[in-house]
Amino acid sequence: MSHEHHPPALKMGLPIPNAKLGMWLFLGTEIMFFTAFIGSYIVLYFGSVDANGRSAWPTDTHVTHINILAGGLNTFILIVSSYFVVVAHEAMTLKDFVKARKFLWMTFALACVFLGIKSYEYYGKIHYDILPGHIPETAEQSVHKFQNNLSDTLDRKLNDLIPGDAPLHVKQLEVPTALQDAEGERLIQLKAYSALHSEFLKIREAISADKLSMEQAKVKLKQLQENDTYGHIVSGLRVYDPIVYGNLFSSTYFLMTGFHAIHVIVGMLLFGAALAVGTSLDEKWTDWVENSGLYWHFVDLVWIFLFPLLYIIPGNIGQ
Amino acid sequence: MDHAHDDSHPHVNYFGVFIALCICTAISVAFDLIEISPILLVGLVLAIALAKALFVMTYFMHLKFEGRWKFVVLAPTAVLAVGLMIALAPDMAMHYYTMDTPQSKMVVVTHGGDGHHSEEGDEGHHAEEEHASPSSSH
Amino acid sequence: MSSIAATAGSSDHGHSAHGEDRLALLKAVPFWSTDHKVIGIQFLLTTILMLMVGGALALGVRWQLSFPWENMPILGALFANAGGQVSPEFYTMLFTMHATVMIFLVIIPVLAGAFGNFLIPLMIGADDMAFPILNALSYWIMWPAAFCFAASMVFNDGLGPNAGPAAGWTSYPALSAIPEAAPGSGWAQFWWLLGVTLVGVSSMMGSVNYMTTIINMRAPGLTLFRMPMTIWGMFITAILQAFALPVLTAAGFMLMADRVFGTCFFVPSGLVVNNAAPTVGGGQTLLWQHLFWFYSHPAVYIMVLPAMGMVSDMLSCMCRKPLFGYKPMVYSLAAIAGLGFIVWGHHMFISGMNPALGMTFMVSTIMIALPSAVKVFNWIGTIWGGRPVFNVVFLNCVAFISMFIVGGLSGIFMAAVPVDIYIHDTYFIVAHFHYVLFGATLFGVFGAIQFWYPKMFGRYMSEGWGKLHFFLSFAGFNGTFFPMHLLGVAGMPRRYADPYLYPYLEHLLPLNQFMTLSACVMGFAQFILIGNIILSWFFGKKAGRNPWNANGLEWTAPSPPGHGNFDIPPIVYRGPYEYSHPDRESDFWPQTEPPEAPKPVPQQDPEPAPA
Amino acid sequence: MKWFWCCFFTFWPILAVIVCLASPSLGWWFPGASASPLGERIDDLFYMILIISAITFIGTQAGLAYVLFRGAADTDKDPSHKAWFSHGSHELEVIWSVVPAFILLFIALYQMDVWAEYRVKDAFPQQKMRSVLERLGQERDEDSSLALAEVTARQFEWRIRYPGFDPETGDLLPLMPEPQATDLYAVNDLHLPSSSPVMINLKTMDVQHSFFLPELRIKQDAVPGLVIPIWLEANEQRTYQLLCAELCGWGHYKMKARFVAESEEDFLDYLHRLHEEQNYDRVENSEDVAAE
Ligand code: HEA
Ligand code: HEA
Ligand code: CUA
Ligand SMILES: [Cu+2]
């Protein structure tokens, strides 16, 4: 690490160790890194206008599945962990390494909790398919997405029923013969499949003729789901409402929180290194803990800004 | 958690700072729950975020006890960070030229959601409806 | 070669015992070493190799421009199929990779990587960098980056006319963001972006390291305003890197995500590209340009400031005269850097930017000529009344000044927005940046190689070959790039695989052929440089500690310095430019010489036993 | 040897100046005098900067040559004589920062008008553009667009959309932002009235392109997702080159098109011709087609 060769009296430069100075400079670069993300987000937010020239950013938390309480909880968790880090560092300077380890462990654990809550939020997004590139932005795209999802479901079912490597259209041709040979549960399944498939063909035709509006698609899907024979196959399907600028929204959301999460993981690695030495943690690690702590506080700082910008403000401004 | 009151070189009441940060967070979340004009809300919430950031930097990151170099390191980044956003705004956030994308030709009507927190509700996205003026571009 | 020749030889003999040492430094080069000198030399050799690669790609470009659609020799047989003909896709790949290699693997690493590494600890009297391991990493990460660039050239259909990144080094979306827009660029563009990110990481590691080292590890007495200009140049460059580069890295991640994960930061919706389905999106393409140039404009100063610093040092030494206006030089360096952050929009004047921004950026851009003017005049002032030694170092420095003036003045044309309406994206731009990048920076680097070579390897480089190299490079350079101004005025657009499709450009073919010829001369002249570097390891005249009778700290260390650099920890008493002090007998006054010295000692060389 | 190098560094700027002076006559210069009033003003600005920078260039290179020669002469005269020990001069620094500062500021401010006229929408010659449209007999209301055509770039061609004629009155319709049934289309062939300012809307279907008319000194990028208005005014009735100046893929170099500036009557005729071609339904030929 730092070489202190010259007698301190003759030392030029700043009265702080190289490692700490380097960490601060690195944090400066990190600020610019997140500035690019956050700045892009802010300008894109305002720049995503509709015909009225106003920002049409999706802000409704029901639509975006932004969970303000989860975000708030995560803010709280990071603050607690930041606090634990200072306590741990203080313990290090006081040579109370047992206490330092205890608090480092707690920080580490809190980081895990943070990531857990984050994954829960991600899971919600994935569940509602709020993923970049997946979101319909017009009613037309919604209907198409419905068609694609239905078709995928059918394909999956077909593959279940007729295993093998043959291409789908070949399997499709085998369905009538399979129907004749089948009996019992398999027969029921096959019947359900082919009934659904013929429904699908009608739907597809209607869509390509532009005759199925989104509302009609919803009704149609409901009918399908209520059907006794094949309702269970499509029970998981949904006609997704379009979200204008939803793709851009989810792009920025995942970008910012994703890179923040990567930073959290890096922080965990830093603490993990100090924890990995176990009971032999000693004053040689004080600088390490201090600098990892600085880094960790920075991660906290980023979140402190992400929380209002991503969660609170959009969630309230739209109404 | 009173053991935080150990005295080390800079005398900081870390626990106090911690409580302050928690209160700030709570206030932010509270703003979400009460009715308040959006502009006020943005201002207040950002002010609180700034306050929190300053707390973390001055006490947790010990900037209060560092020499003047802290300004030399932090001032340029702060200026550049704000400057970059300001410079992006005229192009990205306001549009001098007319936009020509499907979204920018729609009229988005938001039927403001009734409440806030029906988390991950059972139905899909349900509150927002768009009346896309039939996208005639192609 | 008056005063230098007179004393330089005298210290030769004492150091012949260092032969072992000398090779030790070189032998470490292929391996992992954390010694800053080894890393510096590693960088230097790598970048010279890359210069040849980038140059070969440039010659490919030149071939197509002077013999359009004719089978290309050598390179054509190697790369392009279809019988060695340059296809338009291949041409795009050629200039994209030419620029990429030259900028990311030659100019930036040779300045910051090679000379920054080698010189910073030596010139500030430190034993090594602040973070030696990080430093070594910043070199070795260049190789994965180079690998990514190489991969980007060979991906897809293998080596062939359809392979390679196809969006220029500026990589503007939507061309770079939508794979269908450039068939064949599929994964290539991704690899390219990954490569850029990796060099970015490398530079970032370097810059934090340099800043820490320069701030915190200076020798006692070396106050900020006693630092040599080289150190100032490196320091300010490191600051630029540190604060501008992360933005490009961030933007690079966004563009990569657009290509790979379906995000849409730079992809507006509803684009119909290559008859594919309309894009789903919502982003804005101009955002990339802003973020890209927010880095890449400061980056062009990253590519020149260290060279400016080195030239200042070399000039002062070669003219045996203090640097004219040291403080104005430092301030102007800082001013260039500061202004450099607020001018990026001049690359976007006609890109559909808000016109009000255009005006703002025009004023700031033109004003950046001011600190540059101060520098130019001060360099001339340094030679003025000096006693120049017309050696290779000096010649390259003068070429630097002369070429920088040309490149800078053409910058003024482009900075004037109305004029830029016409000359934007024509060869005028190409002329401009080759003048500043090759004409200024590379000539500065050639000089620097000659100047610090004795410190690196303990031997002089050959003057004769050096002069020949200089002459051919200079003539070839101007023959290649000066006519580009005229092509630009004639309205020849850049990045055209076949400009002669347009009647009003047809008559420019002979001129282009002349330029290609000159480029070959310039290109083959580089073999002389390489030969000179290699042969001088073995046959060069041996050099002592201070072969040029220079003042800097690096000259008080052995040549080449051993591990830990200084055998006597240096203490600094004065600035680095006290040449020809009237009260002294010798015409130089090393920074480390104590002022109370009873008698001026001409040759400060205590001859310590080598370790 | 040193005299050689002194001459060398003196010689090349002289050569450069000679080449520059000779190049217009060798054809290595602007593609003809500017064919538009705005272009003329751009050329004037270019020449102004050329003169300023030529003076600077000659001045600095001469200064460089002078100090080189003087240095060489000094070392010749008295080899033991030391260099001038000077750390600089405060007065000189002030002079050579203040003088360029004024020159540069002047250059910057002097450009503003032309730029504003070219790019700032409010500074467009709207009155003139309106009167052209009136002369063409376009039915106008106050807020219909001033643009006479819409140019859409795509890999690798230019698509042009003109407003069509009113089926009832036969009058020229205004250009609508969205395509209309009456619109007229052409590819790589832009016709516009000459001798008065006309406006077009520039768009792109795919990636970024740039609309470049070298003879008129006009260039503007077409940005995905934006409609950018450009106005132009061709002095002469003739055909001009239209190129793409922004890298847009492998075929960037071949986005060749022409711009025909013609009289207003010819322009209307052209539109009528387009109208007929487009509405020509090939009825007579339908049997031949079926027979094949
Ligand atoms: C080392 C690299 C370097 C340097 C130092 C510069 C320096 C400058 N550059 Fe350059 N530039 C590039 C590298 C560089 N540039 C590159 C690579 C590109 C193209 C990228 C791409 O598109 O691929 C580019 C493109 C570029 C453009 C965009 C053109 C376009 O695409 O349309 C512009 C426009 O303003 C510009 C301007 C300037 C100016 C004003 C300076 C000034 O700093 C110059 C200042 C110096 C002087 C002016 C000379 C000395 C001064 C005097 C002798 C005093 C007296 C002078 C006067 C009174 C006029 N540059
Ligand atoms: C530091 C940067 C740098 C350097 C040194 C150079 C050096 C050269 N460049 Fe480069 N150039 C750029 C940076 C640089 N360039 C950039 C940024 C662009 C813009 C790209 C874009 O538009 O995106 C560009 C674009 C560019 C173009 C325009 C392409 C176009 O727009 O269509 C041209 C055309 O002539 C060109 C030519 C040259 C030549 C002849 C050299 C010569 O100086 C090279 C001299 C040759 C050598 C030093 C090597 C000699 C090696 C050999 C002789 C070995 C031969 C071996 C084999 C053939 C096996 N360059
Ligand atoms: Cu279109 Cu280049
Ligand atoms: Cu620039």
Side-chain angles (χ1 to χ4, degrees), chain C residues 496, chain D residues 153-158 206-210 243-249 251-255:
Chain C
Y496 263 30
Chain D
R154 102 186 252 273
Q155 288 174 328
F156 298 98
E157 65 190 19
W158 303 93
D206 41 39
V207 302
Q208 196 157 334
H209 300 265
S210 192
L243 297 74
C244 176
E246 181 66 61
L247 180 63
C248 53
H252 166 52
Y253 70 100
K254 63 179 189 108
M255 274 183 74

Side-chain angles (χ1 to χ4, degrees), chain C residues 52 61 71 80 106 229 256 258 278 353 364 371 390 397 402 450 455 469 485 502 519 526 536 560 563 568 588 604:
Chain C
M52 299 307 271
V61 169
N71 289 351
V106 177
M229 288 307 294
M256 260 190 261
D258 276 4
M353 183 168 68
S364 57
F390 284 82
C397 291
S402 188
Q450 189 92 10
K455 190 52 48 185
H469 166 248
H485 294 112
Y502 298 85
Q526 306 317 311
S536 300
H563 196 63
I568 326 150
F588 67 114
Q604 184 246 24

